[in-house]
Protein backbone atom coordinates (compact mmCIF):
# COMPACT_ATOMS: atom_id res chain seq x y z
CA UNK A 1 0.00 0.00 0.00
CA UNK A 2 1.36 3.39 -0.98
CA UNK A 3 1.61 5.93 1.84
CA UNK A 4 0.86 9.49 0.79
CA UNK A 5 1.47 12.72 2.61
CA UNK A 6 -1.40 15.14 2.04
CA UNK A 7 0.73 17.81 0.36
CA UNK A 8 2.18 15.19 -2.01
CA UNK A 9 -1.18 15.19 -3.77
CA UNK A 10 -1.23 18.93 -4.32
CA UNK A 11 -0.19 18.93 -7.97
CA UNK A 12 -2.93 16.53 -8.97
CA UNK A 13 -5.96 18.24 -7.47
CA UNK A 14 -7.96 20.27 -9.92
CA UNK A 15 -10.92 22.39 -8.81
CA UNK A 16 -12.72 23.62 -5.74
CA UNK A 17 -16.06 25.35 -5.45
CA UNK A 18 -18.17 25.92 -2.37
CA UNK A 19 -21.48 26.67 -4.02
CA UNK A 20 -23.21 26.75 -0.64
CA UNK A 21 -20.97 29.61 0.48
CA UNK A 22 -21.23 31.51 -2.79
CA UNK A 23 -25.01 31.58 -2.96
CA UNK A 24 -25.67 33.43 0.30
CA UNK A 25 -28.46 36.00 0.09
CA UNK A 26 -26.86 38.44 2.51
CA UNK A 27 -23.16 39.16 3.11
CA UNK A 28 -21.90 38.04 6.51
CA UNK A 29 -21.75 40.57 9.32
CA UNK A 30 -18.37 42.36 9.54
CA UNK A 31 -17.50 40.52 12.77
CA UNK A 32 -18.02 37.18 10.98
CA UNK A 33 -15.53 37.91 8.16
CA UNK A 34 -12.25 35.96 8.16
CA UNK A 35 -9.21 35.88 5.91
CA UNK A 36 -8.50 32.78 3.84
CA UNK A 37 -4.84 32.49 2.97
CA UNK A 38 -3.98 31.54 -0.61
CA UNK A 39 -1.09 31.38 -3.06
CA UNK A 40 -1.00 32.67 -6.61
CA UNK A 41 1.80 30.65 -8.23
CA UNK A 42 1.20 31.89 -11.77
CA UNK A 43 -0.09 35.31 -10.88
CA UNK A 44 -3.54 34.60 -12.27
CA UNK A 45 -4.59 31.44 -10.38
CA UNK A 46 -5.60 31.09 -6.75
CA UNK A 47 -4.53 28.02 -4.76
CA UNK A 48 -6.12 27.47 -1.33
CA UNK A 49 -5.36 24.90 1.39
CA UNK A 50 -8.31 22.53 1.78
CA UNK A 51 -9.09 19.86 4.38
CA UNK A 52 -11.31 16.91 3.42
CA UNK A 53 -12.67 14.46 6.00
CA UNK A 54 -10.15 15.81 8.55
CA UNK A 55 -7.17 15.17 6.20
CA UNK A 56 -4.93 17.74 4.56
CA UNK A 57 -4.18 20.41 3.81
CA UNK A 58 -4.39 19.73 0.08
CA UNK A 59 -3.71 22.46 -2.49
CA UNK A 60 -6.83 23.17 -4.55
CA UNK A 61 -7.14 25.49 -7.51
CA UNK A 62 -10.08 27.85 -6.93
CA UNK A 63 -12.35 27.99 -9.98
CA UNK A 64 -15.16 30.49 -9.44
CA UNK A 65 -16.88 29.40 -12.65
CA UNK A 66 -17.23 25.73 -11.75
CA UNK A 67 -20.35 24.25 -10.20
CA UNK A 68 -18.70 21.14 -8.72
CA UNK A 69 -15.48 20.29 -6.92
CA UNK A 70 -13.26 17.95 -8.94
CA UNK A 71 -10.66 15.66 -7.36
CA UNK A 72 -8.37 13.15 -9.00
CA UNK A 73 -8.65 9.36 -8.52
CA UNK A 74 -5.53 9.32 -6.33
CA UNK A 75 -7.14 11.61 -3.76
CA UNK A 76 -10.36 9.57 -3.95
CA UNK A 77 -8.36 6.45 -3.00
CA UNK A 78 -6.31 8.29 -0.34
CA UNK A 79 -9.49 9.51 1.38
CA UNK A 80 -11.15 6.09 0.90
CA UNK A 81 -14.26 7.63 -0.61
CA UNK A 82 -16.78 5.41 -2.37
CA UNK A 83 -18.08 6.28 -5.80
CA UNK A 84 -21.82 6.83 -5.43
CA UNK A 85 -22.97 7.35 -9.02
CA UNK A 86 -22.05 8.88 -12.32
CA UNK A 87 -22.40 12.47 -13.38
CA UNK A 88 -21.67 14.69 -16.34
CA UNK A 89 -19.44 17.74 -16.61
CA UNK A 90 -19.53 20.21 -19.44
CA UNK A 91 -16.26 21.79 -20.52
CA UNK A 92 -15.15 23.74 -23.56
CA UNK A 93 -14.41 20.37 -25.19
CA UNK A 94 -17.97 19.10 -24.61
CA UNK A 95 -19.76 16.83 -22.13
CA UNK A 96 -17.89 14.11 -20.27
CA UNK A 97 -19.23 11.37 -17.96
CA UNK A 98 -17.47 11.25 -14.57
CA UNK A 99 -17.90 9.28 -11.34
CA UNK A 100 -19.23 11.13 -8.26
CA UNK A 101 -18.36 10.74 -4.59
CA UNK A 102 -19.29 12.59 -1.38
CA UNK A 103 -16.88 14.01 1.20
CA UNK A 104 -18.17 14.02 4.76
CA UNK A 105 -16.61 17.50 5.33
CA UNK A 106 -14.64 20.00 3.27
CA UNK A 107 -13.01 22.99 4.98
CA UNK A 108 -11.30 26.13 3.69
CA UNK A 109 -10.08 28.50 6.37
CA UNK A 110 -12.88 28.88 8.94
CA UNK A 111 -15.57 27.62 6.52
CA UNK A 112 -16.74 23.99 6.62
CA UNK A 113 -19.34 22.40 4.38
CA UNK A 114 -20.83 18.93 5.02
CA UNK A 115 -21.70 16.26 2.47
CA UNK A 116 -19.92 17.87 -0.47
CA UNK A 117 -20.46 16.19 -3.84
CA UNK A 118 -17.20 15.64 -5.72
CA UNK A 119 -16.52 14.80 -9.31
CA UNK A 120 -13.59 12.45 -10.00
CA UNK A 121 -11.38 13.06 -13.01
CA UNK A 122 -7.69 12.88 -13.93
Amino acid sequence: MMKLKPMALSSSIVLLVFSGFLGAEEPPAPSALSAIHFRSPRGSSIVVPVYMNDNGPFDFLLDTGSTITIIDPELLRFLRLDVIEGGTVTTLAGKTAIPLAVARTVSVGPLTESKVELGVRD
Side-chain angles (χ1 to χ4, degrees):
M1 180 173 179
M2 180 173 65
K3 258 193 156 177
L4 299 173
K5 293 181 183 175
M7 292 306 287
L9 298 172
S10 64
S11 65
S12 59
I13 297 168
V14 183
L15 306 172
L16 168 72
V17 172
F18 275 107
S19 58
F21 300 139
L22 299 175
E25 294 283 327
E26 298 177 25
S31 62
L33 295 177
S34 298
I36 296 176
H37 298 280
F38 66 90
R39 297 184 293 114
S40 186
R42 294 186 180 105
S44 62
S45 59
I46 296 174
V47 177
V48 293
V50 175
Y51 291 83
M52 293 187 125
N53 294 351
D54 301 320
N55 291 283
F58 305 105
D59 283 343
F60 272 60
L61 177 64
L62 180 65
D63 181 350
T64 59
S66 180
T67 58
I68 190 169
T69 301
I70 303 289
I71 63 171
D72 72 5
E74 186 178 2
L75 184 57
L76 177 85
R77 287 187 298 274
F78 178 78
L79 295 173
R80 296 186 177 135
L81 299 176
D82 294 323
V83 172
I84 56 167
E85 60 184 87
T88 303
V89 293
T90 303
T91 67
L92 293 175
K95 293 185 178 188
T96 304
I98 61 169
L100 299 175
V102 175
R104 188 177 67 255
T105 59
V106 176
S107 302
V108 177
L111 306 173
T112 299
E113 186 75 13
S114 299
K115 299 180 182 174
V116 177
E117 188 173 88
L118 308 167
V120 182
R121 186 169 183 195
D122 284 328

